[in-house]
Amino acid sequence: MNTSLIIVIHSLIFLLSFSVLLFSYLILRRIVVENQEKRFREKYREIEKDILRIITFPEQDRAEEVARKYKLHPDVLTRVLVNYVEQIEGAAKEELKKIFDSALKDKCLKDIYSRRQVKRLRVAHLFVIFSGRADTGHILKLLNDRPVVKLVAINALSRIPTSQTIAYI
């Protein structure tokens, strides 16, 4: 056989095997992502059901129980809380803030010092939604960050009307 023909055959075999491996990886990755999305939706529905019970019957103090139960699923819990806290007012909103304080606040305080800007931006956004006077010190730390995070931190501070926050704004 000719040397150039052997090189072409080996190249084709390599390309075929690489294509098969790449296609297999894409199929397996899609399966994994679909399973993750399915588990996320199931957990979301479960958390949503418990949150709706809390909103419907706020006199029963179940916020701590729900916070403990779903503390290991911070992404799903955050999504549910954000979706509901902006739509309700009154005692039910305070219950959602209790859940945030119990289950997510410690993680958010760690994420303030994260190297990833996305995490710091998410924390700043969560403090905009769930912030209170006690959170002012944590939000002030975000003012030394990049402009996008700084803007969200200023937005969070503007929702807490005190003389200290107005001085920083």
Side-chain angles (χ1 to χ4, degrees):
M1 273 209 204
N2 192 353
T3 311
S4 62
L5 183 63
I6 292 174
I7 292 174
V8 169
I9 290 173
H10 283 282
S11 299
L12 289 174
I13 290 172
F14 173 76
L15 287 174
L16 178 67
S17 62
F18 184 74
S19 298
V20 167
L21 285 174
L22 186 61
F23 189 67
S24 300
Y25 171 76
L26 291 174
I27 290 173
L28 288 174
R29 182 66 185 149
R30 186 66 208 151
I31 291 169
V32 168
V33 168
E34 285 176 357
N35 285 337
Q36 288 174 342
E37 289 173 352
K38 181 181 174 188
R39 280 181 283 168
F40 184 90
R41 284 191 306 269
E42 288 170 356
K43 189 57 70 176
Y44 186 94
R45 277 188 236 118
E46 186 180 329
I47 293 172
E48 187 176 40
K49 193 183 326 179
D50 286 342
I51 295 292
L52 287 173
R53 275 192 212 117
I54 290 173
I55 291 170
T56 307
F57 306 111
E59 63 276 350
Q60 298 174 353
D61 192 28
R62 283 192 244 153
E64 293 291 327
E65 175 187 333
V66 170
R68 272 192 315 275
K69 185 176 178 182
Y70 299 114
K71 190 173 189 172
L72 298 177
H73 306 283
D75 295 334
V76 185
L77 183 60
T78 301
R79 178 90 50 95
V80 174
L81 289 176
V82 168
N83 287 343
Y84 280 97
V85 79
E86 293 177 344
Q87 298 174 8
I88 60 173
E89 292 295 327
K93 188 171 188 171
E94 293 305 316
E95 292 294 318
L96 297 182
K97 286 184 178 186
K98 284 181 191 175
I99 293 172
F100 173 80
D101 288 341
S102 299
L104 300 171
K105 192 169 187 177
D106 292 338
K107 183 179 181 339
C108 288
L109 294 177
K110 287 181 201 171
D111 286 347
I112 285 176
Y113 302 105
S114 174
R115 300 180 105 202
R116 297 180 60 202
Q117 182 178 353
V118 172
K119 284 187 175 186
R120 293 190 315 270
L121 189 60
R122 192 191 81 194
V123 167
H125 178 67
L126 289 175
F127 277 134
V128 166
I129 297 170
F130 295 104
S131 64
R133 292 186 192 277
D135 300 324
T136 305
H138 304 298
I139 298 170
L140 291 176
K141 293 173 187 170
L142 295 171
L143 289 176
N144 298 325
D145 211 322
R146 294 190 175 178
V148 173
V149 179
K150 190 175 189 176
L151 183 65
V152 176
I154 289 172
N155 186 10
L157 287 173
S158 68
R159 292 180 179 222
I160 308 170
T162 64
S163 59
Q164 182 186 14
T165 58
I166 292 173
Y168 280 104
I169 294 176

